[in-house]
Amino acid sequence: MSQSKELVIANSPDFVTELLPSARRTALLYHLAYLGLAKFPNLERILRERAVESQLLFGSSEALLLKCAATSKNLVTTLLPALKVAVEKDKSILAIRSVEKARAWITEIVDKVEQMEQRYEKHIDSVGTCTNDVNKVKADTEEIFQEIQALKEAVLKEENKLKKNSEEIKQIDEMIALKNQELHNYIREASRKRKRWGFFTALVPFVGPLVNAIFGSKIDAGLAEKIRALSNELSQLSNDKSNLKNLEWSIHVRLTDKQLELARKTIEKKLIPNPVHLEDVHTCLSRIQQILIQIKMFWESVSVMLETLKEETFANEHFIEDSEMKDIFLESITTAQKHWKVFGESCLYAKGIFSLQSKNAYKFLEISPSSLSPDEWKEHYNAVIVELNKISPDPFTPKARAAISNVVP
């Protein structure tokens, strides 16, 4: 694992890294579903409507991520510098006003994310209805062929592998959540014993920098060993999850290939293929919806942190009189600025992906698949498969960054 990759992941919540593959995969899956409905113009029209809805929704998601990035920038350029001035001049009222202003920004983001999550909920339902429409027409026309049945069994086999892998990832996520909570408890215990970490934990909501900072200080040996052991366990769980994510992606690639082969064979028999790619679109949109919920929870937790900081640190008129405590607090602010800056850059990176999706990724809708010759259909199909295989489950790998940097404006 490269140093640059560790830095980005350590300072960015998981939702930033998990958002991008689903966003990029959605348009490609729509394209596959669109190709699969060649010669069925009514279903083409319904799917085109759903795809346009997704495109518009991604445009709004781009604006939301820009809002997150702008708020992170405001924390770096406005809130944290204002807190520095307040501490240096012993102005508790100024500090409280600054925190309240920041919490107002965050409340606005939380409201916007909640509205966006509800829009995704409504859109996901409409995609599900589109899938049902395809299934209804398919049920009226389908015939069973031995070759198609064999492909169906191959698809089912890959789907079962994917299901098992997803269950293992879920178990690891549950373990990570438990270990993270335990680690947070130890970090809070360490912060209660040293004012330096009390300030730092109030300003930096990222676990990685907190653990690294504590390791670099003198704390109780037993407590340090517990934190180190938990950090090692979390690192191993993270590696295990990363391996499973990579395996999940390879299964997705094989599954997609089998599904497309099945779709092609079904079309050759003048049958409507299974709307598996619409179902995958449904899954990707649901993942993005869940990530929006995580984003909302993240900003809500930041709001709580700021409120705690206001009540416990700035409540008194002379809130930090000791010069050493002032120095510690100012140092914590400087460090927090660096981590918030990196987080804001991650949000801008994700915003760029949604920008690309909303502007360029749905150009295939300009051409009806019914008008394509068999050779043109195959050419479109192969091109989509190439793009799907380029998508990495981890957008911060050098390969993934290189692929995206060539197209993101």
Side-chain angles (χ1 to χ4, degrees):
M1 184 179 291
S2 68
Q3 186 176 0
S4 61
K5 178 182 173 185
E6 287 178 339
L7 176 64
V8 174
I9 292 178
N11 289 276
S12 301
D14 284 344
F15 59 71
V16 177
T17 62
E18 294 177 357
L19 186 67
L20 307 185
S22 292
R24 297 184 65 218
R25 189 175 170 85
T26 298
L28 295 171
L29 292 169
Y30 265 128
H31 196 168
L32 294 181
Y34 197 52
L35 290 172
L37 295 178
K39 313 302 180 185
F40 301 97
N42 289 336
L43 295 176
E44 279 183 36
R45 177 185 55 79
I46 294 173
L47 187 139
R48 190 183 297 111
E49 291 173 356
R50 298 293 86 77
V52 170
E53 287 175 4
S54 292
Q55 186 179 17
L56 294 174
L57 199 55
F58 278 17
S60 298
S61 300
E62 174 192 352
L64 179 63
L65 285 164
L66 183 60
K67 181 73 173 176
C68 289
T71 300
S72 298
K73 182 178 180 180
N74 284 338
L75 291 173
V76 172
T77 61
T78 303
L79 170 67
L80 296 176
L83 291 183
K84 280 187 176 180
V85 173
V87 172
E88 290 168 345
K89 296 185 176 181
D90 198 22
K91 299 290 185 181
S92 61
I93 294 178
L94 175 61
I96 290 173
R97 286 176 180 172
S98 298
V99 171
E100 285 300 324
K101 182 183 293 186
R103 293 188 72 231
W105 299 335
I106 292 169
T107 298
E108 183 180 357
I109 284 186
V110 169
D111 290 341
K112 288 183 179 299
V113 174
E114 187 169 3
Q115 293 170 14
M116 183 63 63
E117 186 267 326
Q118 291 171 356
R119 287 181 61 187
Y120 270 90
E121 178 73 26
K122 184 177 180 180
H123 180 55
I124 288 167
D125 287 343
S126 70
V127 173
T129 300
C130 181
T131 305
N132 291 337
D133 290 340
V134 175
N135 276 325
K136 185 177 185 302
V137 177
K138 177 180 178 297
D140 295 336
T141 59
E142 185 178 53
E143 297 176 12
I144 302 299
F145 293 87
Q146 186 174 0
E147 185 179 8
I148 292 177
Q149 188 62 32
L151 281 171
K152 287 182 178 180
E153 292 173 359
V155 167
L156 180 60
K157 183 178 180 181
E158 296 298 332
E159 287 176 341
N160 288 335
K161 289 180 182 178
L162 191 60
K163 180 179 179 181
K164 180 181 178 182
N165 195 76
S166 297
E167 290 173 352
E168 292 179 9
I169 290 176
K170 181 180 178 181
Q171 291 173 0
I172 288 182
D173 279 336
E174 291 172 352
M175 287 294 297
I176 288 176
L178 290 173
K179 296 296 180 182
N180 263 324
Q181 184 58 53
E182 193 174 349
L183 184 58
H184 274 294
N185 292 339
Y186 285 135
I187 289 173
R188 282 196 293 269
E189 183 179 345
S191 69
R192 285 196 296 268
K193 295 181 178 180
R194 296 197 67 181
K195 276 289 185 183
R196 175 186 300 272
W197 309 127
F199 295 145
F200 193 50
T201 55
L203 294 168
V204 179
F206 315 110
V207 173
L210 292 175
V211 172
N212 290 334
I214 288 175
F215 281 166
S217 66
K218 295 180 180 179
I219 63 172
D220 177 76
L223 184 57
E225 183 57 36
K226 291 177 181 178
I227 293 175
R228 188 182 303 278
L230 274 173
S231 298
N232 290 337
E233 288 183 48
L234 280 168
S235 178
Q236 182 59 51
L237 286 170
S238 179
N239 287 336
D240 292 343
K241 180 179 177 180
S242 178
N243 290 335
L244 286 171
K245 283 285 187 180
N246 283 310
L247 176 59
E248 179 183 53
W249 214 254
S250 65
I251 295 173
H252 267 301
V253 170
R254 292 197 305 271
L255 179 58
T256 299
D257 188 56
K258 293 292 184 184
Q259 289 169 338
L260 261 294
E261 187 179 355
L262 177 59
R264 188 169 63 251
K265 291 291 184 183
T266 305
I267 290 172
E268 289 173 359
K269 301 296 184 181
K270 301 185 183 299
L271 301 175
I272 297 177
N274 283 322
V276 288
H277 305 301
L278 272 179
E279 293 167 3
D280 283 347
V281 167
H282 193 279
T283 298
C284 286
L285 291 172
S286 295
R287 285 178 179 171
I288 294 173
Q289 181 193 23
Q290 291 303 312
I291 291 167
L292 285 172
I293 294 173
Q294 292 179 45
I295 292 175
K296 184 179 74 170
M297 292 172 63
F298 169 78
W299 284 109
E300 286 174 340
S301 71
V302 174
S303 181
V304 171
M305 287 167 52
L306 291 176
E307 178 65 17
T308 302
L309 182 69
K310 183 187 76 173
E311 292 179 353
E312 295 185 358
T313 305
F314 305 148
N316 300 318
E317 184 178 352
H318 303 290
F319 58 103
I320 302 179
E321 293 182 333
D322 184 89
S323 60
E324 182 182 357
M325 289 296 101
K326 282 188 177 182
D327 290 341
I328 291 173
F329 191 82
L330 292 173
E331 181 184 341
S332 295
I333 291 176
T334 300
T335 305
Q337 284 177 300
K338 296 176 183 177
H339 295 304
W340 275 109
K341 182 175 183 293
V342 173
F343 173 69
E345 291 170 350
S346 298
C347 289
L348 281 177
Y349 179 72
K351 176 257 180 193
I353 296 298
F354 274 102
S355 176
L356 178 69
Q357 295 299 304
S358 63
K359 293 176 182 176
N360 302 326
Y362 291 83
K363 287 186 177 296
F364 66 87
L365 295 173
E366 298 173 3
I367 301 174
S368 170
S370 300
S371 66
L372 299 175
S373 68
D375 287 342
E376 288 172 331
W377 190 97
K378 187 175 182 180
E379 182 181 349
H380 278 253
Y381 156 69
N382 289 336
V384 176
I385 291 299
V386 167
E387 291 302 313
L388 274 172
N389 288 337
K390 288 180 182 178
I391 299 176
S392 169
D394 183 351
F396 294 109
T397 61
K399 178 182 176 182
R401 278 191 174 276
I404 294 172
S405 63
N406 290 330
V407 289
V408 175

